[in-house]
Amino acid sequence: MFNWLQNFADWLIYSIFNIAPESHLGTALNFFVYDTLKILILLFVIVFFMGIVNAYFPVERLKNYLQNTKLFGLEYVFSSIFGALTPFCSCSSVPLFIGFVQGGIPLGVTFSFLITSPLVNEVAIAMFIGMFGLKATLIYALSGILLGTLGGWLLGKLHLEPLLSDWVKQILNQNTQQNLYETETRTFYQRLPEIGRGAWSIVKDVLIYVIIGIAIGAAMHGFVPKNFFSQYLGGGQWWTVPLAVLIAVPMYANAAAIVPIIDVFVAKGVPLGTAIAFMMATVGLSIPEATLLKKVMSLKLIAIFFGVITLAIIFSGFLFNLLL
């Protein structure tokens, strides 16, 4: 879907700026241009779409349904599965998270999506089958969905809504105080300019966080050598799993991009469970993601979110090593 953006980034960095594709700087800048444009486009489209939904769908009714109807935890499962079906990395998932929160979806259910979306997608599953076989793929996919379900449920039970940023609280107040669209008789085309202005306003508010976050990820992507990790994670000692997760948190890549690197790790002697834990932490927890989330969460909420998921991934890594 975004091949044209990759072609543009290749043309700009390698042809116009004449930077060698195999250089660290070329790799980092190419990554920065491609991901910045992709995420800004996704952000605008998703927020614009949520504006349409808010204009025509009684979001408050959906919110009340999810909060008051006994679904026995299935809402977290459904949200986690939906996250697995969306081919987004962690930073690309943040715009959807903003849209969900803006739409009044309960925070725990939204967290289930945010956790699973970068961890599992159909491209990574297809690559996993080819590289590691069906058993490892099923364990990886089901554990990602389970992680999102349980993580969202736990975070939802903590009632963390007061720790959302003031910017999000203001949006939520506007949603509850200004429910004009449902009673208006304006046509869809008459409403579009206002919806577009609202979407662009949100994009402008988070633009600096997008740029800073992707810049950090691009530097990691371009300048950290791949063999650095396999050198320290290949011993199989108990502490290699927590170390792999802690090393991975500052990194940034989507699941499809990291799977080939995991294949190299395993070939160089890193246990598969440790490698999968590293992958999950890379795609599910990253400094760029935290930078973007700073716009919608307080630092305390980000720390709680990262802490819960980090511990869950470490536990999963030990479990993977036992099963695989």
Side-chain angles (χ1 to χ4, degrees):
M1 181 171 63
F2 291 103
N3 288 338
W4 63 276
L5 275 181
Q6 186 62 69
N7 292 335
F8 172 77
D10 293 344
W11 169 77
L12 180 66
I13 302 302
Y14 303 145
S15 299
I16 299 301
F17 291 154
N18 199 28
I19 300 175
E22 64 275 6
S23 67
H24 295 306
L25 180 62
T27 301
L29 288 177
N30 186 285
F31 184 93
F32 176 79
V33 171
Y34 171 74
D35 262 52
T36 299
L37 293 176
K38 181 189 73 172
I39 290 173
L40 288 178
I41 291 171
L42 281 171
L43 178 59
F44 180 81
V45 170
I46 291 167
V47 173
F48 184 83
F49 174 76
M50 290 304 298
I52 296 174
V53 171
N54 288 336
Y56 285 96
F57 190 78
V59 174
E60 198 64 27
R61 190 182 307 167
L62 173 62
K63 176 183 176 182
N64 292 335
Y65 176 79
L66 289 173
Q67 289 178 333
N68 300 325
T69 304
K70 291 294 184 180
L71 296 177
F72 304 102
L74 288 178
E75 64 270 30
Y76 299 100
V77 178
F78 294 151
S79 180
S80 188
I81 292 174
F82 177 65
L85 296 176
T86 55
F88 297 138
C89 62
S90 58
C91 288
S92 301
S93 301
V94 172
L96 269 178
F97 178 86
I98 294 173
F100 287 174
V101 173
Q102 180 186 4
I105 304 301
L107 189 60
V109 177
T110 306
F111 270 126
S112 287
F113 167 83
L114 183 66
I115 294 168
T116 306
S117 180
L119 293 183
V120 183
N121 64 63
E122 64 274 17
V123 176
I125 289 175
M127 297 173 68
F128 236 80
I129 292 176
M131 294 179 180
F132 305 116
L134 183 60
K135 178 183 176 181
T137 302
L138 287 175
I139 292 174
Y140 150 70
L142 293 176
S143 63
I145 293 173
L146 182 62
L147 193 77
T149 300
L150 296 179
W153 175 82
L154 176 59
L155 291 167
K157 293 300 181 183
L158 295 177
H159 302 293
L160 301 171
E161 286 80 5
L163 298 180
L164 290 170
S165 70
D166 292 337
W167 179 70
V168 173
K169 292 177 183 177
Q170 183 179 3
I171 290 177
L172 294 178
N173 288 333
Q174 290 173 351
N175 285 346
T176 56
Q177 295 170 4
Q178 300 177 2
N179 200 18
L180 302 178
Y181 286 123
E182 293 180 31
T183 57
E184 285 185 351
T185 58
R186 289 186 299 168
T187 66
F188 173 72
Y189 293 103
Q190 289 173 328
R191 298 181 187 189
L192 277 180
E194 186 173 349
I195 295 172
R197 286 193 296 271
W200 177 240
S201 175
I202 291 177
V203 171
K204 287 193 298 182
D205 283 339
V206 301
L207 179 61
I208 185 63
Y209 296 92
V210 172
I211 292 175
I212 292 173
I214 298 175
I216 295 171
M220 295 288 184
H221 188 78
F223 290 94
V224 177
K226 295 178 182 179
N227 61 355
F228 171 83
F229 302 105
S230 58
Q231 179 179 352
Y232 296 98
L233 303 178
Q237 296 88 344
W238 69 268
W239 47 263
T240 57
V241 173
L243 179 62
V245 173
L246 293 177
I247 290 176
V249 169
M251 303 293 293
Y252 170 56
N254 59 37
I258 202 70
V259 169
I261 299 176
I262 297 305
D263 189 34
V264 174
F265 280 12
V266 174
K268 291 182 176 293
V270 176
L272 181 55
T274 305
I276 293 177
F278 175 87
M279 183 187 96
M280 284 187 162
T282 301
V283 302
L285 299 169
S286 65
I287 289 178
E289 180 188 13
T291 306
L292 294 179
L293 288 175
K294 181 62 179 67
K295 185 62 181 178
V296 296
M297 301 181 190
S298 66
L299 288 175
K300 184 176 180 180
L301 180 52
I302 294 174
I304 292 172
F305 171 65
F306 269 49
V308 169
I309 305 309
T310 298
L311 291 175
I313 291 176
I314 290 173
F315 175 79
S316 299
F318 287 124
L319 183 61
F320 293 150
N321 281 336
L322 290 176
L323 296 177
L324 299 173

